Amino acid sequence: MLTAAKLDTLQAVELAEGVEIRLRVAGPMLRIGAYAIDLAIRGVVMTAASIGLAWSGMALGNRVAFGMLTLAGFLMEWFYPMVFEAGRRGATPGKRIVGLRVVQVTGSPLTLGQSLVRNLLRWVDGMPLFTYGFGMASCLATKRFQRLGDLAAGTVVIYERAPVLPRLAAPPPIAAVPLPVGLTADETRALVLFRERAGLWSVGRREEIANQASALSGASGAAGVSRLMAMAHWVQEKKHPADHDRKN
Amino acid sequence: MSVGDFEHKNQQRWAEYERLVDGLEKGRPGPEAGQLPRRFRELCVDLSLAEYRMYGERLTAQLNAQVIRGYELIYRNRRGGWEQVAEFVAVGFPQAVRREWRLFCLCNAVFWLPFLAVMISAGHDIQWVQAILGADGMASMDQMYGGKEDQIAHLRAEYGSNFMMFGHYIRNNVGIDFRIFAGGMAAGVGTLFFLFFNGLFMGAAAGYVNHACNPETFWTFVSGHAALELLGMVVAGMAGMRLGLALLRPGRLPRVRALSEAAKQALPLIIGAALLTTLAAAVEGFWSAQLLPSALKYGVGFAGWGLLLAYFTLAGRRAGHAP
């Protein structure tokens, strides 16, 4: 996925199984949203805890209740994200609502240690003055939107599920036209993607893009579009002889 | 084979896989849970085929998502039980401290040299100490340690105040540990600053008490928890310096890679530091302010230093290398 690595937020990772999976890395804007939700949740929990402890303070003694509140504040400050991210979902409630999760750069689930490192260093990312300036700078400077804690722990924040692509009514191909020349894998992929995404664009935009490949199609304008479509159709529908030997 | 044929042929298999993964993700493995690895590998093959044949974004994205789900299930780490905690305390942590003995010396020096220098300077010229503590600092030292020996015990006389102070110490001191660690990300400068500053400030406090307050009150109070708290801080400093050194001197690795390797090595140190400091907070909250004979409190304090140093130097020696 050479083109994807350059242009896209997709990160290719090769597994031991010999297959390449693609992680969709999440950018800072969405993560700020998740953080805001988490902050609100923490605020609500702390308010509830103070009310609850204020009542139970009558039984426990005010100072014990106050001590418990201090402890709760400490735990919420440092351990709230840590515990949730090390858990089964790999995400704080805020991240879950927004649809994000934290994984290792290899795509496998977070270990407790990584969650710890990532969230202890949150304090540095939060500087200067809790603006998350350093974290933001690091996010924007790294290929995988990693804040400093992510870099040290070797983690990335990804979209939990791939967005469901709308099934677009791309113009149906008239015929399958063989490719006139051999293309590299990336070029072929671009051709196929052109066909798939054609439904997203206006007719004028389609032609504009197809004109970039007029050397391949040998035509421009509407004729070029339909010729590229036909070639993409040929690439996707051509018979693979190996299929008949493979038994499932 | 066209996209449609491929999908049609494998649809049932994919549906079965999805049902299997759904069940496992919800924590309700069915009787066929053992098939997961085989089905996962099959799906991996399907994904590479779909990629290779360029079956299009929709199908590959769908298969990609399913492969990731299976991957996360199969490679989920098992949570450590209590044996792992015990193993860490008995072997892993002291070994990690010994492995980093150079940093142990460095961080101790950065903390203790300013501490001793300022404390001793109080005997010759109190102005340094006054400049560091400021008027407020001196006033609060006077209030706590100014008079008779049992002053702190009086402050703690109200029911529950021990617990309140325990909570306060945890939040404050463990938080300081974590910040010392995180400060390592500034190439170690943050770590060194916090250690140096704490050394300076605590040295000034001790010097001021020796000079102007009742030293007996102060030293009997701090003796119990000093070893745990101060060495906890030093160990947190070691963890921070491990990060900082990785950035300054990554060796043959790229800096980011060196950083994540260093974070792995620093992990036992910062966990251990947090444990030590939590323990210190418990001692400080429930023991240090008790009204007991000074000799007993000093004895406990010295025993604490001895035990802790023995723990760092001797514990886990026979166990071989920690995993």
Side-chain angles (χ1 to χ4, degrees), chain B residues 2-60:
Chain B
S2 73
V3 191
D5 294 342
F6 185 71
E7 267 183 282
H8 181 72
K9 185 176 142 197
N10 294 313
Q11 212 142 41
Q12 202 194 343
R13 222 153 40 75
W14 294 343
E16 281 169 19
Y17 171 84
E18 209 172 330
R19 212 165 340 135
L20 186 66
V21 168
D22 274 340
L24 284 167
E25 275 181 346
K26 292 198 185 96
R28 287 195 299 269
E32 71 285 349
Q35 296 176 358
L36 181 70
R38 182 171 62 78
R39 292 201 175 275
F40 173 67
R41 279 195 302 274
E42 285 173 2
L43 201 73
C44 285
V45 174
D46 292 337
L47 174 60
S48 14
L49 271 179
E51 286 267 3
Y52 174 70
R53 295 176 186 169
M54 300 187 195
Y55 278 153
E57 190 61 21
R58 189 182 52 79
L59 184 62
T60 37

Side-chain angles (χ1 to χ4, degrees), chain B residues 49-282:
Chain B
L49 271 179
E51 286 267 3
Y52 174 70
R53 295 176 186 169
M54 300 187 195
Y55 278 153
E57 190 61 21
R58 189 182 52 79
L59 184 62
T60 37
Q62 180 199 332
L63 289 175
N64 186 54
Q66 296 301 335
V67 167
I68 290 176
R69 288 173 78 189
Y71 182 60
E72 276 171 0
L73 279 175
I74 289 176
Y75 289 88
R76 175 172 296 155
N77 296 30
R78 286 194 178 72
R79 300 274 166 270
W82 286 107
E83 303 94 33
Q84 216 177 334
V85 175
E87 201 268 343
F88 174 77
V89 170
V91 181
F93 178 46
Q95 277 191 353
V97 172
R98 280 200 297 278
R99 199 163 45 230
E100 303 284 4
W101 65 271
R102 289 186 197 85
L103 288 179
F104 185 75
C105 297
L106 172 76
C107 292
N108 267 307
V110 171
F111 175 77
W112 288 109
L113 290 182
F115 178 93
L116 292 174
V118 173
M119 192 177 84
I120 293 167
S121 83
H124 305 283
D125 179 4
I126 195 67
Q127 281 187 341
W128 284 97
V129 167
Q130 289 172 331
I132 293 169
L133 285 180
D136 290 347
M138 286 189 287
S140 75
M141 296 302 286
D142 279 333
Q143 193 216 341
M144 279 190 290
Y145 309 109
K148 294 206 306 288
E149 280 170 43
D150 50 357
Q151 205 163 0
I152 293 182
H154 277 310
L155 289 177
R156 297 279 190 89
E158 194 177 329
Y159 169 74
S161 45
N162 280 342
F163 190 85
M164 182 177 82
M165 292 317 285
F166 167 67
H168 170 76
Y169 292 136
I170 284 199
R171 175 171 207 169
N172 206 43
N173 298 349
V174 181
I176 287 176
D177 281 358
F178 288 164
R179 284 184 193 102
I180 287 177
F181 171 61
M185 286 298 280
V189 174
T191 304
L192 291 177
F193 168 78
F194 280 126
L195 282 178
F196 187 83
F197 177 79
N198 275 301
L200 218 55
F201 198 84
M202 289 184 190
Y208 182 76
V209 166
N210 283 342
H211 175 82
C213 305
N214 183 355
E216 180 98 1
T217 321
F218 176 76
W219 292 108
T220 50
F221 176 68
V222 297
S223 68
H225 58 264
L228 290 167
E229 186 174 325
L230 301 182
L231 285 182
M233 195 160 70
V234 165
V235 171
M238 292 160 66
M241 285 312 288
R242 190 36 52 234
L243 291 186
L245 284 179
L247 291 172
L248 286 175
R249 209 183 50 182
R252 309 183 69 168
L253 296 172
R255 275 207 167 67
V256 170
R257 188 63 205 291
L259 180 67
S260 65
E261 291 297 320
K264 273 178 215 155
Q265 290 167 18
L267 197 62
L269 294 175
I270 186 63
I271 296 174
L275 288 179
L276 286 181
T277 310
T278 306
L279 213 56

Side-chain angles (χ1 to χ4, degrees), chain A residues 20-240:
Chain A
E20 208 171 57
I21 54 170
R22 281 175 290 160
L23 305 175
R24 194 172 285 273
V25 182
M29 284 317 286
L30 213 59
R31 291 168 65 177
I32 291 173
Y35 184 76
I37 295 175
D38 280 329
L39 211 58
I41 292 174
R42 275 164 53 183
V44 169
V45 170
M46 281 311 288
T47 314
S50 6
I51 294 170
L53 283 170
W55 279 100
S56 62
M58 292 174 195
L60 293 171
N62 273 330
R63 289 174 166 243
V64 173
F66 190 74
M68 283 183 169
L69 194 63
T70 318
L71 272 183
F74 168 73
L75 294 178
M76 287 300 254
E77 186 182 347
W78 290 100
F79 291 89
Y80 167 91
M82 203 178 287
V83 168
F84 279 114
E85 284 171 9
R88 181 201 289 265
R89 306 270 180 184
T92 59
K95 287 201 178 70
R96 264 181 77 189
I97 291 169
V98 180
L100 302 176
R101 67 180 293 154
V102 190
V103 294
Q104 302 187 19
V105 282
T106 56
S108 51
L110 219 59
T111 64
L112 185 59
Q114 283 176 314
S115 169
L116 205 77
V117 168
R118 172 170 202 284
N119 287 305
L120 289 184
L121 295 183
R122 186 178 283 281
W123 182 71
V124 180
D125 283 303
M127 294 221 284
L129 296 173
F130 304 101
T131 52
Y132 272 80
F134 290 174
M136 186 63 126
S138 166
C139 263
L140 296 180
T142 50
K143 194 168 65 171
R144 291 184 275 217
F145 298 131
Q146 287 170 297
R147 62 176 176 83
L148 296 170
D150 282 323
L151 287 175
T155 54
V156 281
V157 179
I158 60 167
Y159 287 87
E160 189 167 18
R161 298 274 179 264
V164 181
L165 292 177
R167 291 196 79 149
L168 298 162
I174 300 117
V177 175
L179 289 170
V181 288
L183 294 183
T184 67
D186 275 339
E187 288 163 344
T188 321
R189 194 169 280 118
L191 186 66
V192 171
L193 280 175
F194 173 74
R195 181 194 179 197
E196 278 178 1
R197 295 179 181 171
L200 285 168
W201 305 315
S202 68
V203 177
R205 180 76 181 131
R206 258 181 241 163
E207 289 175 8
E208 200 181 344
I209 293 173
N211 285 345
Q212 304 293 318
S214 54
L216 177 70
S217 59
S220 64
V225 173
S226 60
R227 197 152 173 86
L228 283 187
M229 294 286 188
M231 286 177 184
H233 186 61
W234 181 80
V235 168
Q236 286 193 303
E237 301 289 309
K238 71 182 168 193
K239 300 288 177 220
H240 293 273

